[in-house]
Every structure is written in C-alpha cells, then in structure tokens.
Amino acid sequence: MKIILPLAFALILSGPALAQQTSPQGSAAAGSGGTAAVGGNSASTLGAGAVSNSPNGDASALGMGASAAGDNTKTRAGVHGNNNLNGNAMAMAHDGGDMAKSHTVCHDRSDSVDCRTKTMAHEPGGPPVKSTSQGEAAIPQQ
Amino acid sequence: MNMRTMKLRHAYLLLACLAASPALAQVSASVTAGSIGGTAQAGSHTPPNTPDDRVARGPRTDDTRNCDSRGVRVQSGNGSASASASASPGGSSAVAGGGSPGAHTEFFGCDADDKRSAR
C-alpha cells in the first residue's frame, strides 16, 4: 500500500514597522515561505526582505531561496531591480504522478516589503492541496 | 496632581520617545520552510562590507547532493538593511539576493565563486 503524505506548510513572520514621528523614516522587514510535500517529493521556497530609510540613506535588501527533493526536481530563484526589488523563487518536484510545488514572490519597495508564497501538493486521483501565506510590513506614512 | 505623578509621566514619555526613535529601531523577519531558511533585518547600523555588487543572481538549477549548503547574504551599502537565504545540502536548490545600489551580495556554498555577478 502506497503511503501518501500530502502536506502543505507555510510560515509567515513579519516584522513591525517603526518610523520616526517627525520624518518619514523607519524600517520594515517581512518574509514568507512554504513547503509542499507528497509521496517522496518536496518543494520549499521562501523570501525575506528589509527596507530602511534613515539620515544615512535609504537601503533595501532581499533574499530568496528554493529547494526541492524527489525524482525530478527544478528550482529557480532571482532578484531584479535596484531601488525597488522584485524577487522570485520556485521549486517543484514530481515523480510522474505525485507533484509538489512552491512559489514565492517578494516586492521590496522604498517604504514596504511584501512576500507571498503559494504551495500545492497533488496526487493522482485526488484534489490538489493548496496553501497561501503572506508576510508584509510597511513604514508608516507621516 | 502632585509632583510625584508628574515626574512619573515624564519618565514614561521619555521611554516612549526612545522606543520610537529610528536610530535605535531595528526590525527583523525570519522564515523557515523545509530545508531552507531566510532572515531580513532593517534599521541596524552594522559596519557594511565593501560594496561591489548592485544585483547578483544565484545559481539557477544545481544539484547540491555532493556539496555544502548554499546561501546568499545581502547587506546594503550603509549597513542598515540586510537579508539572507540558505539551503541545506541535498536535492536541488537555488538562492538569489539583491539590494539597493551599493549593496554587497555574497554567495556561499556550491558554485559560490563562479556565480557572482555585478551589474
């Protein structure tokens, strides 16, 4: 008997945004991630971003990651942009029947960070198990 | 209202102002999903590394079964924002990082040396 363990797991940790009361300055950090697993296949993606506006200058940073395990796997991650950063991470694993997939998209803007992760685990003959998670944080407008 | 109550109120106001000061404010986010993890911090003022990369792209699709974990770390030029992502050995993994102009992006793990790029 084939044991199938569909699993969709997502985590969101977002940091609060803080800002100075007299100027539009502050910091924000957020991220999201998720894992999908079915049979012997698993796929995980995540993204974490930070933005900081201070008298020393504006700054942002974004990190993305993807990991997959199984018979056939595919992973991809990328970050594009300069001041406004856009990140993508994708992971997929399948064995011809079961399939696990995860996808994270992050937007690191001048005053906010937003990350979303969608996961999906599917086995033949059954409905797909989907999950969505989101982490976002913004510097309050003055 | 007596003098003791006024002094206490002033003390609380001072503490509230210090807590809201961006110079001291630091926020962070940590994410873990399966065999990968990531963190992001903003508001800190750690000394930055030498800026050399503006945007760097990580490995596309690589097998990490026979090498160490793979990761990326990004730190802004003024050190006030940073982000990282890392994947444990095994299976296939990819990481990518980027930052605002002047940011330093560093890859470590598999194919770290030949995957650095600057734009």
Side-chain angles (χ1 to χ4, degrees):
Chain A
M1 176 180 176
K2 184 178 180 181
I3 300 175
I4 301 174
L5 297 174
L7 174 65
F9 176 67
L11 293 174
I12 299 176
L13 287 175
S14 61
L18 297 175
Q20 192 176 28
Q21 294 180 347
T22 58
S23 65
Q25 298 176 347
S27 305
S32 71
T35 296
V38 55
N41 306 295
S42 68
S44 305
T45 60
L46 63 78
V51 59
S52 176
N53 299 331
S54 70
N56 295 329
D58 299 342
S60 58
L62 181 62
M64 309 293 296
S67 178
D71 291 341
N72 300 290
T73 60
K74 183 178 181 181
T75 56
R76 185 175 67 236
V79 175
H80 308 280
N82 289 318
N83 292 316
N84 292 322
L85 304 173
N86 298 309
N88 269 281
M90 185 278 296
M92 181 178 65
H94 67 91
D95 58 8
D98 301 331
M99 181 177 70
K101 187 164 66 174
S102 182
H103 186 204
T104 297
V105 177
C106 288
H107 301 288
D108 202 337
R109 301 182 177 89
S110 60
D111 60 351
S112 64
V113 181
D114 180 15
C115 292
R116 296 183 183 184
T117 299
K118 294 183 178 180
T119 64
M120 187 273 288
H122 180 255
E123 56 180 319
V129 179
K130 297 182 180 180
S131 174
T132 300
S133 64
Q134 180 177 6
E136 59 181 339
I139 300 173
Q141 298 295 325
Q142 300 301 309
Chain B
M1 181 182 300
N2 56 35
M3 187 61 67
R4 179 182 178 85
T5 303
M6 290 183 63
K7 286 182 178 178
L8 284 176
R9 286 187 175 182
H10 290 161
Y12 293 145
L13 180 61
L14 175 62
L15 291 175
C17 291
L18 289 175
S21 172
L24 300 177
Q26 181 175 354
V27 295
S28 63
S30 299
V31 186
T32 302
S35 61
I36 55 177
T39 62
Q41 290 184 334
S44 62
H45 295 286
T46 56
N49 294 322
T50 303
D52 60 355
D53 288 352
R54 295 179 65 184
V55 172
R57 297 176 183 176
R60 290 293 184 182
T61 302
D62 293 293
D63 194 330
T64 60
R65 281 176 292 189
N66 298 319
C67 61
D68 296 333
S69 60
R70 168 176 292 144
V72 63
R73 182 174 180 271
V74 183
Q75 188 173 31
S76 63
N78 62 9
S80 62
S82 64
S84 64
S86 61
S88 301
S92 173
S93 65
V95 295
S100 51
H104 177 84
T105 303
E106 181 180 9
F107 292 100
F108 58 89
C110 302
D111 304 324
D113 293 336
D114 60 348
K115 295 299 180 182
R116 296 173 67 91
S117 62
R119 192 176 70 178

